[in-house]
Amino acid sequence: MQISKDWLHDYLPVAISATRMAELLTATGLEVEKVHEVDAVPGGLRGVIVGEVLTVFKHPDADRLNCTTVSIGGEQTLEIVCGAPNVAVGQKVPVATVGCTLYPTGSEEGLTIKKGKIRGQVSEGMICAEDELGLGQSHDGILVLDPDAVVGQPLSEHLGLESDTALEIGLTPNRMDAMSHMGVARDLRAALLRHDEEVLWSPPMLSEWPAVGSGLTLDIQDPSACPRYFALKVEGVSAIPSPEWLQRRLKTIGAKPINALVDITNYVLHSVGHPLHAFDSRALHGNAIVVRRATSGEAFTTLDGVARTLHADDLVIANASDAMALAGVFGGLKSGVQADTTSIVLESAWFDPVVIRKGAKRHGLNTDASFRYERGVDPSLGTEALELAWTLLQSIFPDAHVTGYDAFESADAPFGDRVVHIDTQRIQASIGEAIPEDRMRSILQSLDIHVTAESGSAWTLSVPAYRWDVTREAD
């Protein structure tokens, strides 16, 4: 599993190095196997800074060249020979300084900037065009930056193209609570609190959708297999490319951007650990969503184009007549987001892990969603995941609006916090260390585990549902 350091900072804005972050996480049991930098563009624009053109005059020995003086911050100025016809005094421009390496668009070979002479005139860097920086195809002239660009600032900062750091974590099967940026941030917060360091927990601001008429109708025919299901219908959207920042985050963790609608569901998955699925609203053939078992021999084609024969034990999401998705595993070819999609229905549900595991195994499928559902998804995040998706949709599509919502929650589902009884003396004897009771309380609190009753060394704890691996004193 790969985690973005910048993404973690959304939840935990702490100024610590990636190396220390890796050490703390490994000490908690989330072993960081590798740490590597991920550039937003090849080379990361290292050594390219914002400059201001101070003087421009014709090269004495070349009609098509100009000699310039460029300020790169403070008292420092560079003499640079430039062949671009649009260079002019007062411009803010990208300056590649001596020693930096550029990766021009379409070239895999780096171009290292050296100090030299061009037709007898000293040149101490390069004023760059868009394609020379690897930012696009244009080579009509140098890239002219906004007038408010700060001279001396790294170009990557000015353009919002800073490099990120990916932490590769070898996640054990019992730690599904950490299968997201929020989950890893929770453990990092606990580790910092254990070292008595101040931390600020800062989850993203979420938007609630306005109250609407039903617009959707849920028919949950198997509540034991699907005890929670939330569906949100949104119009005024399209399958355009995602914003650059969202694409960069997905790329950092090894996910491939597809389009804004699909990328949002993937972003929510990796942000909070809760799978979502987006249906093209047209696939509903009305407003009804049915969660049912498949009929034996029912034909269904998944998103990968494979025609499958369903088993009577398979759980499917269907319209009034046909299956649209293999629940918690894979979407259908005809019901997913299309190039001309303008309205979607977002699904946020909790499915029985055994049902999902058997269904995925029957069809030889292993997806990001099934991987999580099989091991346990936090049941409390159903609406929060939808709110995060709605927040992102609003930021990308100003005309997006909700036209339907429905929810189903079974009263029989055991989704409350678990009660665990412990004996503090026995715990100390088991681990061979005498931990003061105040410290025990502090550690438990940092893990969102609350002491609800005490009788000497006998304590009663309330354990949040998302901590699937904590069910007994030994845990």
Side-chain angles (χ1 to χ4, degrees), residues 51-260:
E52 182 177 5
V53 180
L54 302 179
T55 65
V56 177
F57 57 91
K58 285 292 183 183
H59 191 293
D61 298 317
D63 292 340
R64 296 186 179 182
L65 298 178
N66 289 304
C67 296
T68 69
T69 305
V70 182
S71 168
I72 57 171
E75 303 275 329
Q76 193 173 7
T77 60
L78 302 176
E79 295 180 19
I80 298 176
V81 176
C82 177
N86 64 326
V87 64
V89 172
Q91 291 173 334
K92 302 290 180 64
V93 294
V95 179
T97 58
V98 171
C100 83
T101 301
L102 302 177
Y103 292 84
T105 300
S107 173
E108 296 183 2
E109 302 239 347
L111 170 66
T112 300
I113 305 302
K114 300 177 181 179
K115 180 178 179 178
K117 288 188 177 182
I118 299 178
R119 303 291 292 270
Q121 297 295 310
V122 172
S123 189
E124 303 173 293
M126 184 167 78
I127 305 174
C128 303
E130 181 181 280
D131 66 332
E132 292 166 336
L133 296 167
L135 298 177
Q137 302 293 332
S138 175
H139 193 71
D140 294 336
I142 57 170
L143 176 63
V144 180
L145 306 175
D146 295 335
D148 60 354
V150 178
V151 175
Q153 182 184 34
L155 183 67
S156 59
E157 289 184 16
H158 172 70
L159 297 178
L161 295 174
E162 298 99 325
S163 297
D164 196 355
T165 301
L167 293 85
E168 194 167 319
I169 298 175
L171 198 67
T172 52
N174 64 314
R175 290 303 310 276
M176 286 312 298
D177 63 284
M179 192 68 182
S180 66
H181 284 79
M182 183 175 72
V184 172
R186 275 190 306 233
D187 265 29
L188 183 58
R189 175 191 62 178
L192 290 167
L193 289 171
R194 177 68 181 87
H195 288 81
D196 299 320
E197 297 186 34
E198 291 187 10
V199 295
L200 173 65
W201 186 249
S202 177
M205 296 292 291
L206 303 179
S207 297
E208 295 183 3
W209 50 86
V212 293
S214 64
L216 285 172
T217 303
L218 296 180
D219 180 9
I220 311 299
Q221 297 183 3
D222 192 341
S224 63
C226 177
R228 283 190 176 175
Y229 196 99
F230 308 94
L232 185 71
K233 185 176 182 180
V234 182
E235 298 185 5
V237 298
S238 61
I240 61 173
S242 298
E244 186 64 33
W245 71 266
L246 199 158
Q247 292 192 41
R248 287 203 308 274
R249 285 201 165 175
L250 292 177
K251 289 176 182 177
T252 295
I253 62 171
K256 181 181 178 181
I258 298 172
N259 60 59

Side-chain angles (χ1 to χ4, degrees), residues 4-54:
S4 154
K5 183 174 182 288
D6 284 351
W7 203 335
L8 280 181
H9 288 321
D10 282 359
Y11 292 93
L12 204 65
V14 291
I16 62 175
S17 68
T19 300
R20 181 153 188 261
M21 189 178 284
E23 291 171 351
L24 289 169
L25 289 172
T26 299
T28 71
L30 300 180
E31 183 179 359
V32 178
E33 299 173 337
K34 184 180 179 182
V35 177
H36 63 278
E37 201 163 12
V38 180
D39 293 331
V41 295
L45 300 178
R46 295 179 190 86
V48 184
I49 57 180
V50 176
E52 182 177 5
V53 180
L54 302 179

Side-chain angles (χ1 to χ4, degrees), residues 11 182 203-204 206-207 209 230 268 272 274 276 348 378 380-391:
Y11 292 93
M182 183 175 72
L206 303 179
S207 297
W209 50 86
F230 308 94
V268 172
V272 301
H274 197 291
L276 297 180
S348 177
D378 184 353
S380 69
L381 289 178
T383 54
E384 184 175 324
L386 275 184
E387 287 175 356
L388 178 54
W390 170 236
T391 302

